[in-house]
Amino acid sequence: MSFALSEEHEAFRAVVREFAEAEIAPHAARWDREHHFPVEVVARMGELGLFGLTAPERFGGSGGDLASLCVAIEEIGRVDQSMGITLEAAVGLGINPILRFGTEAQQQRWLPDLVAGRALAGFGLTEPEAGSDAGATRTRAVLEADEWVIDGAKQFITNSGSAITSCVTITARTGELPDASPEISAIIVPSGTPGFTVEPAYDKLGWHASDTHPLTFAGARVPVGNLLGERGKGFSQFLATLDDGRIAIAALAVGAIAACLEMSVRYAGERVAFGVPIGTKQGVAFQVADLHVMLESSRLLTYRAAWLRDSGRPRAEVKQAAAVAKLHATTCAVSATRVATQVFGGYGFIEDYPVARFYRDAKILEIGEGTSEVQRVLIARGLGLPVE
Amino acid sequence: MAEPRRVLVLVKYVPDAAGERSFADADSTTVRTTEGLLSELDEYAVEEALSLAESGGWEVTVATMGPEQAGAAIRKALQMGADAGIHISDEALHGTDALGTSAVLAAAVRKFSDEGGCDLLLCGMASTDAGMSVIPAMLAERLGLPQVSFASQLSVEGDTVRIRRDSETATETIESRLPAVVSVTDQINEPRYPSFKGIMAAKKKPVTTWSLADLGIEPAEVGLAASWSPVTEVSKRPPRGQGTIITDDGEGGVALAEFLAAEKFI
Ligand SMILES: Cc1cc2nc3c(=O)[nH]c(=O)nc-3n(C[C@H](O)[C@H](O)[C@H](O)COP(=O)(O)OP(=O)(O)OC[C@H]3O[C@@H](n4cnc5c(N)ncnc54)[C@H](O)[C@@H]3O)c2cc1C
């Protein structure tokens, strides 16, 4: 029995940490303040091979495992959640669907640039009227001659409107099944397709340096060959995509908790009140101790889920572990940022310290890629309960 | 395909400046730390060798002399992309000075060259711990090779290496025939971070360990006892003083000038 990452994963962690501290940490506050998406840093992350961790070598990837991606997301997320989600979404939502379900031609066309960090792809599932109920997709794609004609709208799509976004994979109704339920398929829409509009970025509570847009489609035409994998498989494709994505989001949460713990330990040892460091007071020290428990438990669940996935365990087992990890780690991340802000007192509420940024950034973790309620639905179903 | 040419990069394992440090002995400046790493200044030499290799036709070997932990410096270079490593390690080497080090490295270079040729030797411009910058010159002298130091640009054409050296007054372009010993500055390139692929690949790369016996060197010729420049005393830097506060009661400027003059700042 072993709970340790391999020596190579740990060596890789050291490299990503060095990179994150040198190239991201010094600028994160400014990018956040200016709502700036640093394309040049995406390119540097690409050079480091972060986008290609799970892609095969023939597309420029390193053929690594999900655990290595989790290490990278955790370490980037430890200094900047915005760049952490940029990486997570780029791989989990941008590259993965094309890698898992794309045809050879689609892979050849899109993957090399995505893997190198020269381009980003988005995944458009959520709609104004279809979030947790992702199957309620209204966006339509109608086959006309050899083109799909797309009409509809997508909501909150990460990495969909950056200067280097090359395409967005969306889900759309492509017909009706015999039981009158919609047939949903996934289609790759290249950026710049006439009729496909990337609306102005949202004004978000957190993740200010991450690129999120509403998308509209008004008679957008793409070649029939842009259908991702099989027609009618859109729903099951995104469900499968989201299982891996949840483990990766859990890793992003672990990064936030790790940052909170480190900042709090340091601050509690330095800040003096009533003539002693505040860490002398149990009221503070116990809260910091709790942070450590949050970190350890979240990290274990996350890497165990990644390990189950990497060792090819049955899908149901991975799915359950992913939901458990996502639920626990993201709940802990929100608690941890609240605790760290409390430890910092008034300074925790001021943007001069990163604590405030982590506090704003954490909340979305409980919402994106399946809310905490949706995770509980999945876990309860996994237990065999007849929850609706 | 022609045989690849061989570049040997000499690297040093140094204490991590961010870690806890103490002197290993009372009579040497060898620093002992819990954590060490590939000297940052040597990363530039590794990077330069790797970009030569990427231009085609070169094989990159890194060599280090140091204790068992120094293997970490070789591993880092292999993770960056070097093809093979040589670790020169021997109990008797502890406390060896620069002269001794250059003798050992020269023997290692000869052995390396005998086994498959050596077309270029690359070094960093100094180590980040001792910072003497003397090894490249000593090594070139011992090997009878041309020495070209402080390169801020390097190119190889045929049997010629051309470097640029920037000084305050002039920029020199210097050519030398190969093989040569070249030291590079921190201006020459931007060392890469190892990728995950590189880290995984490094596991399978060959690292050869050479002892003093392998190099035909007597233990008595090296080590603390054979050192030409023994350290007579080592003391910690005294803690910083309190500082002087001058209250400006109209004569503050004069008092400040007197203080600066007394400390020989002006
Ligand atoms: C910054 C950001 C980035 C995003 N990036 C992407 C992206 O790249 N691609 C993409 O497709 N989507 C993306 N999303 C969308 C995100 O996945 C959805 O917001 C999320 O799934 C919730 O959907 P909703 O907002 O419609 O909320 P709703 O589904 O309307 O949920 C509202 C509330 O009701 C609860 N609820 C709903 N159904 C149930 C139920 N059955 N049982 C119990 N409670 C329930 C929810 O848990 C929630 O608390 C992003 C969102 C944000 C904010």
Side-chain angles (χ1 to χ4, degrees):
Chain A
M1 190 158 129
S2 167
F3 287 97
L5 283 168
S6 74
E7 208 179 299
E8 287 71 34
H9 284 98
E10 290 301 347
F12 180 58
R13 179 190 292 282
V15 170
V16 182
R17 178 167 296 196
E18 189 187 335
F19 172 86
E21 298 208 323
E23 320 253 340
I24 297 180
H27 315 291
R30 180 169 51 82
W31 296 334
D32 176 79
R33 192 167 59 245
E34 296 172 1
H35 294 236
H36 171 70
F37 183 73
V39 173
E40 65 291 348
V41 173
V42 172
R44 298 280 288 140
M45 287 162 67
E47 286 167 23
L48 191 53
L50 300 190
F51 297 101
L53 284 170
T54 53
E57 299 202 8
R58 66 196 177 100
F59 299 122
S62 46
D65 49 17
L66 185 58
S68 64
L69 178 63
C70 287
V71 166
I73 292 171
E74 181 193 329
E75 288 301 326
I76 302 285
R78 179 179 154 272
V79 303
D80 185 5
Q81 290 278 297
S82 282
M83 293 318 287
I85 186 59
T86 300
L87 171 61
E88 191 282 332
V91 179
L93 302 176
I95 290 172
N96 264 357
I98 299 176
L99 193 58
R100 290 180 72 173
F101 309 111
T103 61
E104 181 65 27
Q106 288 165 347
Q107 295 182 340
Q108 293 288 356
R109 171 160 179 203
W110 303 107
L111 289 181
D113 282 346
L114 294 175
V115 162
R118 289 187 293 267
L120 288 168
F123 188 65
L125 174 66
T126 306
E127 298 191 359
E129 319 282 335
S132 303
D133 185 10
T137 306
R138 296 202 175 169
T139 297
R140 265 172 207 290
V142 179
L143 201 52
E144 274 182 24
D146 52 359
E147 289 181 324
W148 291 105
V149 184
I150 307 166
D151 284 281
K154 292 289 170 181
Q155 191 80 303
F156 308 132
I157 309 308
T158 304
N159 290 340
S160 64
S162 78
I164 55 169
T165 300
S166 59
C167 64
V168 179
T169 304
I170 60 153
T171 49
R173 290 175 178 232
T174 46
E176 208 168 78
L177 298 174
D179 66 354
S181 66
E183 175 197 77
I184 296 176
S185 306
I187 298 173
I188 302 172
V189 186
S191 301
T193 300
F196 164 31
T197 308
V198 177
E199 306 290 349
Y202 296 98
D203 193 1
K204 305 190 289 287
L205 170 67
W207 284 4
H208 287 167
S210 160
D211 179 70
T212 334
H213 300 265
L215 311 176
T216 53
F217 301 87
R221 288 170 178 271
V222 301
V224 63
N226 282 26
L227 182 78
L228 185 73
E230 258 177 81
R231 183 169 175 167
K233 288 281 164 71
F235 202 71
S236 61
Q237 286 170 349
F238 81 68
L239 288 182
T241 300
L242 288 181
D243 288 343
D244 288 2
R246 285 178 180 138
I247 302 173
I249 290 281
L252 183 57
V254 172
I257 304 166
C260 287
L261 176 64
E262 285 172 42
M263 291 187 292
S264 299
V265 168
R266 203 177 317 127
Y267 197 74
E270 287 169 0
R271 173 71 177 173
V272 172
F274 300 98
V276 290
I278 55 173
T280 315
K281 309 288 180 193
Q282 287 191 351
V284 174
F286 284 9
Q287 294 193 62
V288 179
D290 287 345
L291 288 179
H292 195 213
V293 177
M294 292 181 204
L295 177 63
E296 294 284 303
S297 57
S298 302
R299 202 176 253 158
L300 276 175
L301 288 175
T302 301
Y303 287 95
R304 181 175 171 275
W307 173 77
L308 288 171
R309 171 83 176 87
D310 288 332
S311 39
R313 293 302 181 99
R315 168 113 185 259
E317 196 182 349
V318 176
K319 206 177 164 65
Q320 190 78 348
V324 170
K326 204 255 175 188
L327 175 62
H328 182 77
T330 61
T331 306
C332 284
V334 173
S335 302
T337 58
R338 180 170 40 73
V339 169
T341 306
Q342 194 67 17
V343 169
F344 272 70
Y347 299 95
F349 197 64
I350 305 296
E351 295 285 354
D352 295 358
Y353 290 85
V355 180
R357 174 162 49 87
F358 278 97
Y359 185 75
R360 288 186 285 99
D361 284 341
K363 183 60 208 172
I364 179 61
L365 295 168
E366 291 183 326
I367 298 169
E369 299 201 28
T371 63
S372 292
E373 293 74 21
V374 167
Q375 305 309 316
R376 287 190 168 90
V377 169
L378 294 172
I379 294 165
R381 278 196 199 136
L383 295 172
L385 289 172
V387 59
E388 63 153 332
Chain B
M1 220 179 85
E3 283 279 296
R5 298 210 268 176
R6 305 216 302 167
V7 48
L8 183 64
V9 189
L10 298 167
V11 302
K12 188 175 182 187
Y13 174 79
V14 298
D16 184 352
E20 277 283 314
R21 286 177 289 177
S22 61
F23 291 115
D25 308 281
D27 51 0
S28 94
T29 48
T30 300
V31 173
R32 191 187 303 263
T33 49
T34 43
E35 293 270 326
L37 38 77
L38 168 62
S39 169
E40 268 173 48
L41 289 171
D42 292 340
E43 285 188 13
Y44 296 92
V46 174
E47 176 63 38
E48 204 52 30
L50 294 177
S51 44
L52 261 186
E54 277 162 359
S55 70
W58 287 84
E59 194 180 276
V60 180
T61 305
V62 286
T64 197
M65 179 187 118
E68 198 183 327
Q69 313 89 279
I74 294 180
R75 206 172 317 121
K76 174 82 181 276
L78 296 178
Q79 290 170 347
M80 288 172 76
D83 300 294
I86 297 170
H87 189 172
I88 306 145
S89 191
D90 201 299
E91 278 296 308
L93 283 168
H94 177 72
T96 303
D97 66 357
L99 272 171
T101 301
S102 66
V104 175
L105 291 178
V109 171
R110 279 192 211 100
K111 184 168 165 67
F112 175 76
S113 188
D114 288 347
E115 290 179 359
C118 179
D119 303 277
L120 175 63
L121 283 158
L122 283 177
C123 313
M125 65 180 194
S127 58
T128 54
D129 53 349
M132 299 210 298
S133 285
V134 293
I135 292 292
M138 289 180 170
L139 193 61
E141 192 62 29
R142 289 187 187 276
L143 293 166
L145 292 177
Q147 184 229 162
V148 199
S149 58
F150 298 103
S152 60
Q153 212 174 56
L154 179 153
S155 60
V156 173
E157 247 167 72
D159 282 331
T160 307
V161 57
R162 179 182 299 124
I163 69 122
R164 197 182 74 199
R165 183 193 291 150
D166 298 316
S167 73
E168 270 172 29
T169 48
T171 296
E172 300 166 84
T173 301
I174 302 162
E175 275 186 8
S176 160
R177 66 175 163 74
L178 291 177
V181 182
V182 178
S183 73
V184 305
T185 72
D186 56 357
Q187 301 302 307
I188 195 163
N189 55 41
E190 178 79 40
R192 69 196 63 189
Y193 293 93
S195 67
F196 189 66
K197 191 156 66 178
I199 290 171
M200 296 306 285
K203 280 204 300 187
K204 300 185 202 94
K205 292 177 178 172
V207 178
T208 316
T209 306
W210 288 343
S211 64
L212 286 177
D214 292 327
L215 298 176
I217 295 177
E218 287 300 320
E221 295 171 39
V222 296
L224 207 50
S227 184
W228 280 65
S229 50
V231 174
T232 49
E233 197 187 356
V234 177
S235 57
K236 276 205 165 181
R237 188 197 296 230
R240 220 180 256 247
Q242 266 293 302
T244 310
I245 296 169
I246 297 167
T247 315
D248 185 14
D249 48 10
E251 296 294 310
V254 177
L256 192 60
E258 278 170 0
F259 171 79
L260 291 174
E263 296 288 325
K264 301 205 166 55
F265 285 119
I266 53 176

